[in-house]
Amino acid sequence: MSQSLLSIRGLTKAYPGVVANDDVSFEIGKGEVHALLGENGAGKSTLVKMIYGLVKPDAGEMVLDGRSYVPAEPSMARQLGVAMVFQHFSLFDALNVAENIALGMENPPKPRDLAGRIKEVSELYGLPLDPFRTVGDLSAGERQRVEIVRCLLQDPKLLIMDEPTSVLTPQEVEILFRTLMKLRDEGTSILYISHKLEEIRALCDGATILRLGKKVGTCVPKETTARAMAEMMVGSELHTPSREAKAPGAVRLALKGLSVKSPGEFGTSLKGITLEVRAGEVLGLAGVAGNGQDELLGALSGEILSAPGMVEFDGTPVGGMGPMARRRLGLLTGPEERLGHAAAPDMSLTENALLTGAERRGLMSNGFLKWGKARSFAEEVIARFDVRTPGPEVAARALSGGNLQKFVIGREVMQDPQVLVVNQPTWGVDAAAAATIRQAILDLAAGGTAVIVISQDLDELMEISDRFAALNEGRLSDIRPAQGLTVDEIGLMMGGSHGMEVAHV
Amino acid sequence: MLKLEKRRQPSQVWAYLAPVVAVVATMVVGGLLFAFLGKDPLLAIRTIFWDPLFGEFAFYYRPQMLVKGAPLVLIAIGLSLGFRAGIWNIGAEGQYIMGAIAGAGVALAFYPLEAWWLFPLMVICGAIGGLLWAMIPAALRVIFGTNEILVSLMLVYVAEQFLASVSLGLLKNPEGYGFPGSRNLQQYPSAHNAELITGSGMHWGVVAALIAVIMAYILLNRHLLGFQIRLTGEAPRAARFAGVKPKQLVLLCMGLAGALAGMAGLFEVAGPSGRISIDFNAGYGFTAIIVAFLGRLHPVGILLAGLLMALTYIGGEIAQSSMGLSSSAIQVFQGMLLFFLLMVDVLTNYRLKLAKADAA
């Protein structure tokens, strides 16, 4: 990493009301893995979008390989050797791998040649892929491979990766890292965005830290502790959730051989899930995305109905009840997708507070809504969970991901749930907010609520769970006490490397 | 180069401004259209928008505004509930016809009864007629997942054929010298939807339309059901999460829209129109779609939009007779309103930005 590949000088981008990036400068060397760190809303995405040509900076300049670099649009960025793997895959389930890759190319070669190239490149970098498999049948890890191979086919000089490991098992992360290191050794630079500080320490050569749109520091991750990096991001000392040991109470929620078909064509059906959660206990469920998490949450929230006896709440069969009836009993849920599922994007926070809180918080009588009370409920959530927003009349989609997450989790937590089930409660949330949310979950458990946390963040699960299990292809592994589990054991519970071929690097 | 940039929040200002801009744009482009047809554009616009309200014969045209506006508002209110929830009933014209036939049919069956309860019964039967007709696309969608847009639209043509059939057969006036069409309900006192105040244009349909506006306002803004309707339209997945039952909502919204359209048909046939005839329907069911969107799917907006639309109807007729404008030109003019509204609507969610075409 002697020479600089991309140097960023004084990039500034303002949106109405916020300065997303304020005079940010840093350099990425040739063959360097550079981490971009920061809380949510710190401006990482905006910065990356400017590099990839999706957003135009208001001021500042970029120099790529010694030449001025002003990407007007992503296709131009790609031509100049900048490729990006997004956090959310942009693949079509119904098409096969080669077709998906061809769709993302400017001048796709003939399908036959392309398939050959895909095989060649994917094997070279230890990411074996069958070009003719349908994407809908691939695991999350394999889908990511498709995205990465799509980038590699363009021979990039700079590869941007946005939170790539959030969908992978530890074993799959291992494979990915070997690929990235091979790329680095060949001289490709990588800009790596992640919240997982230990990963950054293992992989990255340098790091730039953003806070509130400004660069607040740089560090060499290998020589710094994760805690020190986290504190640089947050700008204050980090608060680790605390909990007291207690004896679990009576069984509140029991699943008895819960089997339901997924409503989506490429979803995962649940197969014979049996578990119990007791009052005051946190059950952590790990699993790679797409292994039945959404379906499990749906089956618990009442969006997916099952045979009545398959879900029991305090001994009462509730499998056939809809969401409202379950909420009335005290079974509350928080889905993974914030916008469009947990919250209506164009509705105000007050209206979104009403979305699940109408009944338990007494926000209506005889079907007539009490807007004043709904508004003060929204304000309460905003205040207690430090949701940063001008007020409750703001539309949900105007909030940053982390802030909206605080709001939708807070909305459930503040309804005094008997059983709370949350899916990815801190997904895409900054360290400080994640700590707030985890603490709130632990406080609920301490108060006697039975909690199920479904998450892909293993550190999070180990931190807050009493017992631990993993979902794999719609089945649940054995449930084991969380204490003393090793990463290897957890990885195997999650399905190991899903039979993905290990890199031949 | 102009570029669209998504707003972080829908703009309140544009939500209210868009209909006004759309009306102005329609006047400008419509004026051009009239100019190309060889008519004086200013005079045409004046004839359409000004004369019915303030012209020489305004005393006659003003009540007509209520007569024409009431069915539009009544139907549009019903449609707007479904549209808000993403349920696209565009067959209100058929529901309007079936409501009129059902209600008038009841009256004619009892002819020449004199009883105070006949008219209320007709209103109820009119509503039921429209409701049942709307239940066909609703049930098909709920049970088989068919597309309610197609089914409800196709059923309009079925209803038109049915209307022709009853005007020539079942409901034909036995004393009508063989001409198609039913007895004139205007000459049937207990069935006549007469003006409540002579010369005002005010009949029971106008009253019903106003009540519908108020009820819809309360429903949408104060009641859980209205909240669920809006939620379903904005975020269907979030609605299911909140506990909305999508199938019930489809039946409810379609049913309400059908019932209101049916009532509108009954009020028309028992009042201003008077009889069931082959060409009894005047396209209110389709125009109401424009009214619903022009009024932002908001009850008060729909009331205003209904009156505006009624104005273009009346003004259009005046322009036809006094200036010799063709009726198709007037229809194009009305269609432009929706077209421009949808166009301007983009600005509610996006802002126009002047992007320099550098660095290409």
Side-chain angles (χ1 to χ4, degrees):
Chain A
M1 50 175 284
S2 46
Q3 272 173 293
S4 144
L5 172 75
L6 177 69
S7 84
I8 286 169
R9 294 172 197 157
L11 275 195
T12 299
K13 174 76 194 176
Y15 289 111
V18 272
V19 181
N21 282 139
D22 186 3
D23 194 19
V24 177
S25 310
F26 66 95
E27 311 246 326
I28 304 172
K30 279 190 179 145
E32 182 193 354
V33 182
H34 194 96
L36 195 55
L37 268 172
E39 290 194 285
N40 266 290
K44 300 183 307 269
S45 333
T46 310
L47 186 59
V48 167
K49 281 180 185 163
M50 288 193 285
I51 300 175
Y52 194 54
L54 280 164
V55 170
K56 259 178 135 181
D58 298 335
E61 53 168 2
M62 293 183 274
V63 175
L64 182 73
D65 239 354
R67 258 180 290 170
S68 167
Y69 170 64
V70 191
E73 48 183 17
S75 66
M76 186 172 159
R78 286 196 294 266
Q79 260 172 28
L80 294 172
V82 177
M84 179 159 174
V85 176
F86 287 90
Q87 194 174 3
H88 297 280
F89 306 144
S90 47
L91 299 173
F92 294 94
D93 280 348
L95 299 181
N96 72 29
V97 171
E99 288 165 336
N100 262 295
I101 288 179
L103 276 177
M105 296 175 90
E106 309 299 320
N107 304 303
K110 290 200 191 89
R112 197 186 253 288
D113 300 347
L114 182 62
R117 287 268 289 143
I118 291 170
K119 268 198 107 60
E120 192 185 311
V121 169
S122 66
E123 267 165 29
L124 182 63
Y125 290 98
L127 302 167
L129 260 184
D130 176 354
F132 298 111
R133 275 186 68 196
T134 306
V135 164
D137 299 332
L138 299 182
S139 73
E142 288 170 310
R143 286 172 198 228
Q144 188 180 55
R145 283 187 175 182
V146 179
E147 295 272 12
I148 296 173
V149 168
R150 167 146 72 184
C151 290
L152 294 184
L153 281 173
Q154 303 156 8
D155 241 343
K157 292 182 219 153
L158 174 67
L159 180 64
I160 305 172
M161 303 203 78
D162 192 0
E163 304 250 357
T165 58
S166 57
V167 296
L168 304 179
T169 66
Q171 280 82 356
E172 289 167 341
V173 170
E174 191 90 351
I175 299 174
L176 173 70
F177 278 18
R178 264 183 263 166
T179 305
L180 294 182
M181 301 220 188
K182 181 172 163 66
L183 277 169
R184 170 179 66 185
D185 294 343
E186 288 178 357
T188 308
S189 307
I190 296 166
L191 182 59
Y192 189 90
I193 302 168
S194 177
H195 282 290
K196 297 182 187 168
L197 301 166
E198 285 302 337
E199 270 174 17
I200 286 176
R201 291 195 58 222
L203 184 72
C204 302
D205 306 313
T208 296
I209 297 153
L210 296 180
R211 192 196 314 147
L212 298 173
K214 289 195 178 113
K215 175 173 149 183
V216 290
T218 50
C219 65
V220 178
K222 288 181 178 116
E223 296 162 5
T224 323
T225 63
R227 193 181 177 85
M229 286 194 282
E231 283 173 5
M232 271 170 101
M233 269 160 58
V234 181
S236 63
E237 242 176 78
L238 204 59
H239 165 79
T240 332
S242 61
R243 59 185 319 192
E244 290 153 37
K246 74 261 161 192
V251 173
R252 303 308 300 270
L253 180 76
L255 302 186
K256 298 184 170 169
L258 173 67
S259 301
V260 290
K261 220 178 130 359
S262 168
E265 194 182 341
F266 292 104
T268 309
S269 299
L270 300 178
K271 300 166 192 98
I273 292 185
T274 298
L275 59 80
E276 283 181 352
V277 211
R278 293 169 179 277
E281 178 187 52
V282 180
L283 172 64
L285 296 183
V288 172
N291 273 294
Q293 289 94 330
D294 284 350
E295 288 79 4
L296 180 60
L297 189 110
L300 289 173
S301 71
E303 290 163 272
I304 303 176
L305 299 182
S306 60
M310 285 181 177
V311 184
E312 279 188 3
F313 178 90
D314 277 347
T316 327
V318 298
M321 288 185 186
M324 282 194 177
R326 294 192 196 193
R327 254 178 225 130
R328 218 168 290 143
L329 290 172
L331 169 52
L332 304 189
T333 52
E336 172 183 2
E337 187 69 45
R338 300 179 273 254
L339 274 183
H341 194 182
D346 287 326
M347 284 187 157
S348 71
L349 294 181
T350 303
E351 289 171 301
N352 274 300
L354 197 75
L355 198 142
T356 67
E359 194 126 22
R360 286 185 81 75
R361 293 289 304 217
L363 307 181
M364 61 178 187
S365 63
N366 298 323
F368 284 90
L369 306 171
K370 298 178 179 166
W371 285 114
K373 279 185 97 171
R375 191 189 155 92
S376 47
F377 175 43
E379 277 166 349
E380 265 177 67
V381 175
I382 291 169
R384 173 154 166 220
F385 283 83
D386 185 28
V387 179
R388 290 180 201 159
T389 167
E393 65 288 340
V394 170
R397 81 164 191 228
L399 265 64
S400 74
N403 273 313
L404 185 57
Q405 185 68 18
K406 285 191 272 186
F407 184 82
V408 294
I409 294 285
R411 178 182 70 186
E412 306 306 325
V413 167
M414 292 183 70
Q415 288 181 54
D416 184 23
Q418 303 297 304
V419 175
L420 178 68
V421 184
V422 285
N423 188 4
Q424 298 272 64
T426 60
W427 183 80
V429 170
D430 60 68
T436 314
I437 290 173
R438 285 175 199 149
Q439 185 65 56
I441 290 172
L442 291 177
D443 290 346
L444 268 185
T449 304
V451 183
I452 298 180
V453 178
I454 306 170
S455 177
Q456 286 157 34
D457 183 343
L458 293 178
D459 298 335
E460 167 172 278
L461 289 178
M462 297 322 288
E463 190 178 303
I464 62 174
S465 312
D466 297 303
R467 291 188 302 146
F468 179 93
L471 277 168
N472 185 16
E473 293 175 354
R475 292 190 182 83
L476 194 68
S477 71
D478 292 338
I479 303 174
R480 300 168 60 173
Q483 264 196 340
L485 279 180
T486 66
V487 169
D488 266 345
E489 285 172 306
I490 293 169
L492 290 173
M493 289 166 88
M494 289 163 71
S497 55
H498 284 104
M500 278 209 312
E501 261 182 89
V502 179
H504 322 280
V505 213
Chain B
M1 200 177 70
L2 285 174
K3 253 183 81 175
L4 286 174
E5 192 179 270
K6 194 161 170 79
R7 292 177 192 271
R8 287 162 70 88
Q9 280 211 72
S11 157
Q12 285 292 317
V13 178
W14 272 105
Y16 291 109
L17 209 58
V20 180
V21 175
V23 170
V24 172
T26 306
M27 286 187 183
V28 172
V29 180
L32 277 176
L33 173 83
F34 298 143
F36 277 119
L37 289 170
K39 313 288 175 195
D40 176 0
L42 288 178
L43 182 66
I45 299 295
R46 200 191 118 110
T47 309
I48 294 173
F49 288 98
W50 182 266
D51 284 0
L53 288 174
F54 309 108
E56 195 181 342
F57 300 104
F59 64 91
Y60 170 74
Y61 292 124
R62 279 188 210 143
Q64 282 294 310
M65 292 258 303
L66 293 184
V67 173
K68 303 260 185 208
L72 288 176
V73 171
L74 200 55
I75 300 169
I77 288 284
L79 292 180
S80 71
L81 298 178
F83 291 169
R84 284 245 179 164
I87 298 160
W88 306 103
N89 171 16
I90 58 169
E93 183 80 359
Q95 294 141 25
Y96 172 87
I97 292 173
M98 296 313 273
I101 294 176
V106 168
L108 294 168
F110 284 111
Y111 185 82
L113 179 85
E114 277 180 44
W116 64 266
W117 49 261
L118 182 64
F119 187 67
L121 181 69
M122 287 163 62
V123 175
I124 292 168
C125 289
I128 292 176
L131 183 139
L132 290 179
W133 203 245
M135 276 302 114
I136 300 173
L140 287 175
R141 166 162 164 175
V142 167
I143 301 169
F144 299 111
T146 58
N147 183 322
E148 77 279 10
I149 301 179
L150 281 175
V151 179
S152 63
L153 178 63
M154 290 304 150
L155 282 171
V156 172
Y157 303 107
V158 177
E160 280 178 351
Q161 296 305 316
F162 189 68
L163 173 69
S165 152
V166 296
S167 330
L168 294 168
L170 193 61
L171 299 182
K172 192 166 80 168
N173 184 358
E175 293 155 21
Y177 308 104
F179 285 107
S182 72
R183 287 180 196 278
N184 194 333
L185 297 180
Q186 288 171 354
Q187 287 146 25
Y188 179 2
S190 15
H192 184 202
N193 173 23
E195 279 190 325
L196 298 172
I197 305 163
T198 315
S200 66
M202 188 85 168
H203 61 69
W204 283 111
V206 180
V207 177
L210 289 175
I211 293 175
V213 168
I214 294 165
M215 298 295 274
Y217 184 86
I218 294 173
L219 179 74
L220 285 172
N221 291 294
R222 298 262 168 249
H223 199 272
L224 179 68
L225 187 60
F227 178 71
Q228 293 187 336
I229 288 175
R230 290 193 289 134
L231 186 59
T232 305
E234 304 236 357
R237 235 183 131 198
R240 234 163 311 161
F241 175 61
V244 178
K245 296 182 178 120
K247 292 184 173 182
Q248 287 182 13
L249 201 72
V250 170
L251 293 175
L252 183 95
C253 287
M254 293 286 281
L256 267 176
L260 290 180
M263 270 166 71
L266 177 274
F267 288 127
E268 187 69 15
V269 75
S273 157
R275 11 178 250 130
I276 292 285
S277 63
I278 296 180
D279 53 357
F280 149 76
N281 58 316
Y284 283 131
F286 289 122
T287 312
I289 298 172
I290 305 182
V291 170
F293 280 103
L294 197 60
R296 316 269 64 181
L297 304 181
H298 185 286
V300 178
I302 287 171
L303 181 65
L304 298 175
L307 291 174
L308 177 72
M309 224 47 207
L311 183 66
T312 66
Y313 259 113
I314 298 162
E317 274 170 29
I318 303 175
Q320 276 178 52
S321 59
S322 70
M323 296 182 64
L325 266 176
S326 73
S327 66
S328 339
I330 300 295
Q331 278 171 20
V332 169
F333 186 73
Q334 287 170 342
M336 268 181 205
L337 253 184
L338 182 63
F339 175 80
F340 281 115
L341 181 74
L342 295 178
M343 209 171 84
V344 180
D345 241 6
V346 171
L347 295 175
T348 313
N349 282 307
Y350 294 83
R351 71 176 85 243
L352 270 180
K353 275 201 92 169
L354 225 62
K356 274 165 265 151
D358 57 348

PDB file of all heavy atoms in Angstrom, chain A residues 1-20:
ATOM      1  N   MET A   1       0.830  -1.201   0.000  1.00  0.00           N
ATOM      2  CA  MET A   1       0.000   0.000   0.000  1.00  0.00           C
ATOM      3  C   MET A   1       0.859   1.244   0.000  1.00  0.00           C
ATOM      4  O   MET A   1       0.764   2.109   0.839  1.00  0.00           O
ATOM      5  CB  MET A   1      -0.957   0.014   1.195  1.00  0.00           C
ATOM      6  CG  MET A   1      -0.333  -0.254   2.546  1.00  0.00           C
ATOM      7  SD  MET A   1      -1.534  -0.060   3.867  1.00  0.00           S
ATOM      8  CE  MET A   1      -1.646   1.715   3.977  1.00  0.00           C
ATOM      9  N   SER A   2       1.726   1.286  -0.989  1.00  0.00           N
ATOM     10  CA  SER A   2       2.624   2.426  -1.031  1.00  0.00           C
ATOM     11  C   SER A   2       1.921   3.617  -1.651  1.00  0.00           C
ATOM     12  O   SER A   2       1.813   4.672  -1.037  1.00  0.00           O
ATOM     13  CB  SER A   2       3.852   2.047  -1.862  1.00  0.00           C
ATOM     14  OG  SER A   2       3.431   1.401  -3.050  1.00  0.00           O
ATOM     15  N   GLN A   3       1.366   3.395  -2.885  1.00  0.00           N
ATOM     16  CA  GLN A   3       0.769   4.516  -3.598  1.00  0.00           C
ATOM     17  C   GLN A   3      -0.687   4.672  -3.217  1.00  0.00           C
ATOM     18  O   GLN A   3      -1.329   3.723  -2.797  1.00  0.00           O
ATOM     19  CB  GLN A   3       0.808   4.217  -5.080  1.00  0.00           C
ATOM     20  CG  GLN A   3       2.076   4.644  -5.748  1.00  0.00           C
ATOM     21  CD  GLN A   3       2.021   4.118  -7.157  1.00  0.00           C
ATOM     22  OE1 GLN A   3       2.064   2.919  -7.355  1.00  0.00           O
ATOM     23  NE2 GLN A   3       1.891   5.016  -8.107  1.00  0.00           N
ATOM     24  N   SER A   4      -1.197   5.851  -3.465  1.00  0.00           N
ATOM     25  CA  SER A   4      -2.624   6.043  -3.198  1.00  0.00           C
ATOM     26  C   SER A   4      -3.418   5.741  -4.463  1.00  0.00           C
ATOM     27  O   SER A   4      -3.044   6.133  -5.563  1.00  0.00           O
ATOM     28  CB  SER A   4      -2.821   7.496  -2.756  1.00  0.00           C
ATOM     29  OG  SER A   4      -4.025   7.965  -3.244  1.00  0.00           O
ATOM     30  N   LEU A   5      -4.505   4.990  -4.311  1.00  0.00           N
ATOM     31  CA  LEU A   5      -5.369   4.692  -5.456  1.00  0.00           C
ATOM     32  C   LEU A   5      -6.448   5.754  -5.578  1.00  0.00           C
ATOM     33  O   LEU A   5      -6.626   6.365  -6.614  1.00  0.00           O
ATOM     34  CB  LEU A   5      -6.033   3.320  -5.280  1.00  0.00           C
ATOM     35  CG  LEU A   5      -7.089   3.018  -6.338  1.00  0.00           C
ATOM     36  CD1 LEU A   5      -6.430   2.663  -7.652  1.00  0.00           C
ATOM     37  CD2 LEU A   5      -8.023   1.922  -5.887  1.00  0.00           C
ATOM     38  N   LEU A   6      -7.156   5.957  -4.479  1.00  0.00           N
ATOM     39  CA  LEU A   6      -8.239   6.940  -4.492  1.00  0.00           C
ATOM     40  C   LEU A   6      -7.976   7.929  -3.376  1.00  0.00           C
ATOM     41  O   LEU A   6      -7.764   7.529  -2.231  1.00  0.00           O
ATOM     42  CB  LEU A   6      -9.588   6.251  -4.248  1.00  0.00           C
ATOM     43  CG  LEU A   6     -10.793   7.183  -4.162  1.00  0.00           C
ATOM     44  CD1 LEU A   6     -11.101   7.793  -5.508  1.00  0.00           C
ATOM     45  CD2 LEU A   6     -12.008   6.434  -3.642  1.00  0.00           C
ATOM     46  N   SER A   7      -7.918   9.187  -3.717  1.00  0.00           N
ATOM     47  CA  SER A   7      -7.815  10.135  -2.620  1.00  0.00           C
ATOM     48  C   SER A   7      -9.012  11.064  -2.679  1.00  0.00           C
ATOM     49  O   SER A   7      -9.433  11.522  -3.736  1.00  0.00           O
ATOM     50  CB  SER A   7      -6.479  10.876  -2.660  1.00  0.00           C
ATOM     51  OG  SER A   7      -6.554  11.948  -3.518  1.00  0.00           O
ATOM     52  N   ILE A   8      -9.568  11.246  -1.499  1.00  0.00           N
ATOM     53  CA  ILE A   8     -10.806  11.998  -1.368  1.00  0.00           C
ATOM     54  C   ILE A   8     -10.469  13.269  -0.627  1.00  0.00           C
ATOM     55  O   ILE A   8      -9.845  13.220   0.430  1.00  0.00           O
ATOM     56  CB  ILE A   8     -11.818  11.136  -0.598  1.00  0.00           C
ATOM     57  CG1 ILE A   8     -12.309  10.038  -1.526  1.00  0.00           C
ATOM     58  CG2 ILE A   8     -12.971  11.962  -0.063  1.00  0.00           C
ATOM     59  CD1 ILE A   8     -13.080   8.982  -0.832  1.00  0.00           C
ATOM     60  N   ARG A   9     -10.841  14.400  -1.218  1.00  0.00           N
ATOM     61  CA  ARG A   9     -10.423  15.666  -0.606  1.00  0.00           C
ATOM     62  C   ARG A   9     -11.617  16.578  -0.386  1.00  0.00           C
ATOM     63  O   ARG A   9     -12.236  17.038  -1.336  1.00  0.00           O
ATOM     64  CB  ARG A   9      -9.412  16.371  -1.507  1.00  0.00           C
ATOM     65  CG  ARG A   9      -8.117  15.589  -1.621  1.00  0.00           C
ATOM     66  CD  ARG A   9      -7.207  16.185  -2.663  1.00  0.00           C
ATOM     67  NE  ARG A   9      -6.171  15.220  -3.041  1.00  0.00           N
ATOM     68  CZ  ARG A   9      -5.526  15.258  -4.200  1.00  0.00           C
ATOM     69  NH1 ARG A   9      -5.809  16.197  -5.087  1.00  0.00           N
ATOM     70  NH2 ARG A   9      -4.609  14.362  -4.459  1.00  0.00           N
ATOM     71  N   GLY A  10     -11.904  16.784   0.850  1.00  0.00           N
ATOM     72  CA  GLY A  10     -12.900  17.792   1.232  1.00  0.00           C
ATOM     73  C   GLY A  10     -14.292  17.548   0.683  1.00  0.00           C
ATOM     74  O   GLY A  10     -15.008  18.479   0.353  1.00  0.00           O
ATOM     75  N   LEU A  11     -14.713  16.282   0.586  1.00  0.00           N
ATOM     76  CA  LEU A  11     -16.044  16.005   0.056  1.00  0.00           C
ATOM     77  C   LEU A  11     -17.118  16.522   1.012  1.00  0.00           C
ATOM     78  O   LEU A  11     -17.063  16.292   2.211  1.00  0.00           O
ATOM     79  CB  LEU A  11     -16.248  14.501  -0.139  1.00  0.00           C
ATOM     80  CG  LEU A  11     -15.750  13.891  -1.444  1.00  0.00           C
ATOM     81  CD1 LEU A  11     -16.355  12.519  -1.628  1.00  0.00           C
ATOM     82  CD2 LEU A  11     -16.062  14.775  -2.635  1.00  0.00           C
ATOM     83  N   THR A  12     -18.081  17.226   0.445  1.00  0.00           N
ATOM     84  CA  THR A  12     -19.171  17.779   1.240  1.00  0.00           C
ATOM     85  C   THR A  12     -20.477  17.528   0.503  1.00  0.00           C
ATOM     86  O   THR A  12     -20.548  17.675  -0.714  1.00  0.00           O
ATOM     87  CB  THR A  12     -18.982  19.295   1.422  1.00  0.00           C
ATOM     88  OG1 THR A  12     -17.746  19.505   2.113  1.00  0.00           O
ATOM     89  CG2 THR A  12     -20.118  19.908   2.229  1.00  0.00           C
ATOM     90  N   LYS A  13     -21.467  17.102   1.245  1.00  0.00           N
ATOM     91  CA  LYS A  13     -22.790  16.911   0.640  1.00  0.00           C
ATOM     92  C   LYS A  13     -23.838  17.269   1.683  1.00  0.00           C
ATOM     93  O   LYS A  13     -23.831  16.743   2.794  1.00  0.00           O
ATOM     94  CB  LYS A  13     -22.978  15.452   0.214  1.00  0.00           C
ATOM     95  CG  LYS A  13     -24.365  15.137  -0.292  1.00  0.00           C
ATOM     96  CD  LYS A  13     -24.579  15.659  -1.699  1.00  0.00           C
ATOM     97  CE  LYS A  13     -26.036  15.656  -2.071  1.00  0.00           C
ATOM     98  NZ  LYS A  13     -26.275  16.241  -3.399  1.00  0.00           N
ATOM     99  N   ALA A  14     -24.699  18.187   1.328  1.00  0.00           N
ATOM    100  CA  ALA A  14     -25.749  18.597   2.261  1.00  0.00           C
ATOM    101  C   ALA A  14     -27.106  18.244   1.676  1.00  0.00           C
ATOM    102  O   ALA A  14     -27.329  18.385   0.482  1.00  0.00           O
ATOM    103  CB  ALA A  14     -25.662  20.095   2.521  1.00  0.00           C
ATOM    104  N   TYR A  15     -27.981  17.740   2.524  1.00  0.00           N
ATOM    105  CA  TYR A  15     -29.369  17.550   2.164  1.00  0.00           C
ATOM    106  C   TYR A  15     -30.165  18.589   2.931  1.00  0.00           C
ATOM    107  O   TYR A  15     -29.667  19.128   3.929  1.00  0.00           O
ATOM    108  CB  TYR A  15     -29.839  16.150   2.547  1.00  0.00           C
ATOM    109  CG  TYR A  15     -29.253  15.057   1.699  1.00  0.00           C
ATOM    110  CD1 TYR A  15     -28.343  14.155   2.206  1.00  0.00           C
ATOM    111  CD2 TYR A  15     -29.629  14.948   0.365  1.00  0.00           C
ATOM    112  CE1 TYR A  15     -27.804  13.161   1.417  1.00  0.00           C
ATOM    113  CE2 TYR A  15     -29.106  13.957  -0.435  1.00  0.00           C
ATOM    114  CZ  TYR A  15     -28.192  13.059   0.091  1.00  0.00           C
ATOM    115  OH  TYR A  15     -27.668  12.087  -0.691  1.00  0.00           O
ATOM    116  N   PRO A  16     -31.386  18.855   2.492  1.00  0.00           N
ATOM    117  CA  PRO A  16     -32.177  19.824   3.255  1.00  0.00           C
ATOM    118  C   PRO A  16     -32.207  19.431   4.739  1.00  0.00           C
ATOM    119  O   PRO A  16     -32.627  18.324   5.066  1.00  0.00           O
ATOM    120  CB  PRO A  16     -33.569  19.714   2.628  1.00  0.00           C
ATOM    121  CG  PRO A  16     -33.355  19.111   1.282  1.00  0.00           C
ATOM    122  CD  PRO A  16     -32.105  18.327   1.334  1.00  0.00           C
ATOM    123  N   GLY A  17     -31.706  20.286   5.588  1.00  0.00           N
ATOM    124  CA  GLY A  17     -31.788  20.013   7.017  1.00  0.00           C
ATOM    125  C   GLY A  17     -30.614  19.286   7.616  1.00  0.00           C
ATOM    126  O   GLY A  17     -30.416  19.333   8.816  1.00  0.00           O
ATOM    127  N   VAL A  18     -29.843  18.553   6.816  1.00  0.00           N
ATOM    128  CA  VAL A  18     -28.685  17.850   7.377  1.00  0.00           C
ATOM    129  C   VAL A  18     -27.491  17.975   6.455  1.00  0.00           C
ATOM    130  O   VAL A  18     -27.627  17.997   5.240  1.00  0.00           O
ATOM    131  CB  VAL A  18     -28.922  16.333   7.570  1.00  0.00           C
ATOM    132  CG1 VAL A  18     -29.524  16.034   8.895  1.00  0.00           C
ATOM    133  CG2 VAL A  18     -29.702  15.751   6.427  1.00  0.00           C
ATOM    134  N   VAL A  19     -26.320  18.035   7.079  1.00  0.00           N
ATOM    135  CA  VAL A  19     -25.095  17.939   6.303  1.00  0.00           C
ATOM    136  C   VAL A  19     -24.626  16.501   6.443  1.00  0.00           C
ATOM    137  O   VAL A  19     -24.212  16.070   7.514  1.00  0.00           O
ATOM    138  CB  VAL A  19     -24.030  18.923   6.828  1.00  0.00           C
ATOM    139  CG1 VAL A  19     -22.774  18.809   5.992  1.00  0.00           C
ATOM    140  CG2 VAL A  19     -24.572  20.338   6.783  1.00  0.00           C
ATOM    141  N   ALA A  20     -24.755  15.733   5.373  1.00  0.00           N
ATOM    142  CA  ALA A  20     -24.427  14.314   5.448  1.00  0.00           C
ATOM    143  C   ALA A  20     -22.921  14.107   5.504  1.00  0.00           C
ATOM    144  O   ALA A  20     -22.425  13.232   6.196  1.00  0.00           O
ATOM    145  CB  ALA A  20     -25.026  13.570   4.261  1.00  0.00           C
TER     146      ALA A  20
END
